[in-house]
Amino acid sequence: MSTHIVPGTLPEEARLRLQRRTVAALMLTQVVGGIGMGAMLAVGALIALELTGSDTWSGMATTMITLGAAVFALPLASLAARRGRRPGLTLGWALGAVGGLVVIAATVSGLFPLFLLGMVLIGAGTATNLQARHAAADLASDRSRGRDLSIVVWATTVGSVLGPNLIAPGGRVAALLGLPELLGPVVFTTTGFVLGALLTFALLRPDPLLTAARAAASADPAAEAPAELPVSAVLRAVAASPGALLAVVGIVSGHTVMVAVMTMTPVHMSHHGAALTVIGLTISLHIAGMYAFSPVVGWLSDRLGRVPVLLAGQAVLLVATAVAGTAGHDETRVTVGLVLLGLGWSFSLVSGTALLAGSLEVGVRTRAQGVSDLLMNLGGAAAGGLSGVVLAQAGFGGLNLFAALFTVPVFVLALRAVRTGR
């Protein structure tokens, strides 16, 4: 059963207590899982480059992670709809840990296809990290939904910023284990995902989605449980709601722009002689931009409205691509552009998620969240896959221009909604 709590069906004090416990548990798992994500983002493209010797193929590392997140988004959301958030999130973290082991084995043996398979499995960890924000909204009230989900997004900051800076200590760990230097951060990735699975299984009790479902059922005992909706029905429901459609397109746009530029930034900086520590710092600051300000973004979303904040995020993305795309060899300007890129992503994701949750009927909401995550990761996978080709043909400036084009549909939809009064 996929539903959200119906106001008034659970005593307010009990709801607040359960919500605080849920948010605290999700925050802790996001910290350790974020270490796994951040560490992998810093070295994935570099490992692929070492295995293949090709800029074009190096982009496939992040592409496979994003594709994996897309592949696992709907199954994990469907499992949550049937069994609750706890089983879905636990399984996602566990699959990500298996992916880390596969990447280590593939890199040691020099098998690039196996490496790509491992990156797909690591994508399950990314999908889980994204779906945690939906769990934070299950018991949230309409007035605080943006704030609550943004706090969980923010918790990823600690691990994700720390992760890329583990390249140097990771190298020492790899040496102790007899592994290549770049596999040290992958060891941290695997460990972080294992801890994420264990903490989710132990702490996410009572399950927020099941609690919300029971409260809704007690409010209306005669109501039937929502049927298992096919993807086509979910897409029709999203298309019929101007708010939901704008939310999904905004989320997909923000993620696509971010992945397209971020994927090739380590390769671009490496070609211009940047040290690994500088590359790691740039990616960690980018990730800080993605997560660190999300509570402020959530507050703005609740106070100013989800649509204005969503459009502001698209504008920030345009500025980010302009700064990074014209940076040339200037490492400082590249870093500033990457920080703005992360901030624009945060505006788009937080406001879009809150807008989506408030725009659909209860019965379709959980599966629509899964479809949204599926589409955003497919967009990111496509952009990541093309980014290496675009970088090789048009340079880093051309890549940023290419990425900026994905904001256009959001502004077109918003303009159409204004013209039609919707």
Side-chain angles (χ1 to χ4, degrees):
M1 179 181 294
S2 62
T3 185
H4 277 233
I5 195 164
V6 176
T9 60
L10 188 69
E12 181 66 7
E13 183 179 347
R15 184 193 68 80
L16 288 173
R17 183 171 61 251
L18 291 177
Q19 179 67 350
R20 284 194 295 267
R21 178 184 175 89
T22 297
V23 170
L26 291 170
M27 287 177 66
L28 185 57
T29 59
Q30 293 295 84
V31 169
V32 296
I35 291 176
M37 290 173 47
M40 198 68 245
L41 284 175
V43 298
L46 298 176
I47 293 174
L49 181 63
E50 188 172 281
L51 288 175
T52 65
S54 166
D55 286 352
T56 300
W57 283 107
S58 68
M60 292 301 293
T62 303
T63 300
M64 290 297 105
I65 291 179
T66 312
L67 182 61
V71 167
F72 290 105
L74 268 182
L76 292 176
S78 296
L79 178 59
R82 295 191 307 269
R83 303 285 299 276
R85 298 288 185 189
R86 180 168 162 258
L89 296 178
T90 300
L91 177 61
W93 288 127
L95 289 172
V98 172
L101 294 175
V102 172
V103 166
I104 292 172
T107 305
V108 170
S109 58
L111 297 175
F112 186 62
L114 185 62
F115 167 80
L116 295 180
L117 174 61
M119 297 301 269
V120 170
L121 289 171
I122 285 175
T126 302
T128 305
N129 174 269
L130 290 170
Q131 291 197 7
R133 75 191 195 278
H134 299 309
D138 288 331
L139 290 166
S141 67
D142 289 338
R143 294 188 306 274
S144 66
R145 182 176 292 126
R147 180 200 65 194
D148 289 350
L149 69 90
S150 69
I151 290 173
V152 172
V153 173
W154 171 83
T156 310
T157 307
V158 178
S160 294
V161 173
L162 179 62
N165 288 290
L166 294 176
I167 293 179
R172 292 191 287 272
V173 170
L176 289 174
L177 297 174
L179 298 172
E181 179 183 7
L182 288 176
L183 285 182
V186 184
V187 173
F188 293 134
T189 294
T190 306
T191 304
F193 286 168
V194 168
L195 290 175
L198 293 174
L199 290 171
T200 300
F201 183 79
L203 300 179
L204 202 60
R205 304 166 184 260
D207 190 287
L209 185 56
L210 296 183
T211 301
R214 285 192 292 269
S218 66
D220 186 5
E224 295 184 1
E228 181 79 26
L229 296 174
V231 174
S232 58
V234 176
L235 289 174
R236 285 194 298 270
V238 170
S241 167
L245 182 60
L246 180 61
V248 171
V249 174
I251 290 170
V252 172
S253 167
H255 195 66
T256 302
V257 174
M258 187 274 292
V259 172
V261 177
M262 182 273 296
T263 298
M264 286 292 104
T265 298
V267 175
H268 167 72
M269 296 182 72
S270 177
H271 283 340
H272 292 294
L276 283 178
T277 53
V278 174
I279 295 173
L281 177 62
T282 298
I283 296 301
S284 67
L285 290 175
H286 161 68
I287 296 172
M290 291 172 64
Y291 298 113
F293 301 101
S294 55
V296 176
V297 176
W299 180 83
L300 290 173
S301 177
D302 289 335
R303 295 299 183 273
L304 302 180
R306 279 76 195 242
V307 174
V309 174
L310 177 63
L311 296 178
Q314 300 296 305
V316 173
L317 289 171
L318 288 176
V319 174
T321 55
V323 172
T326 58
H329 299 177
D330 190 333
E331 295 174 359
T332 300
R333 287 189 64 186
V334 171
T335 301
V336 170
L338 266 287
V339 172
L340 290 173
L341 186 75
L343 188 61
W345 178 89
S346 179
F347 270 69
S348 301
L349 183 78
V350 171
S351 59
T353 300
L355 178 61
L356 179 63
S359 299
L360 294 173
E361 296 295 330
V362 168
V364 74
R365 200 172 293 160
T366 301
R367 291 179 179 86
Q369 291 166 341
V371 169
S372 173
D373 286 355
L374 166 66
L375 294 176
M376 71 180 281
N377 284 298
L378 285 176
L386 291 172
S387 63
V389 177
V390 176
L391 179 69
Q393 298 298 321
F396 197 58
L399 174 62
N400 277 271
L401 177 60
F402 165 75
L405 295 176
F406 289 98
T407 65
V408 173
V410 185
F411 292 112
V412 171
L413 277 177
L415 182 62
R416 188 181 71 174
V418 169
R419 286 181 172 178
T420 58
R422 302 178 73 184

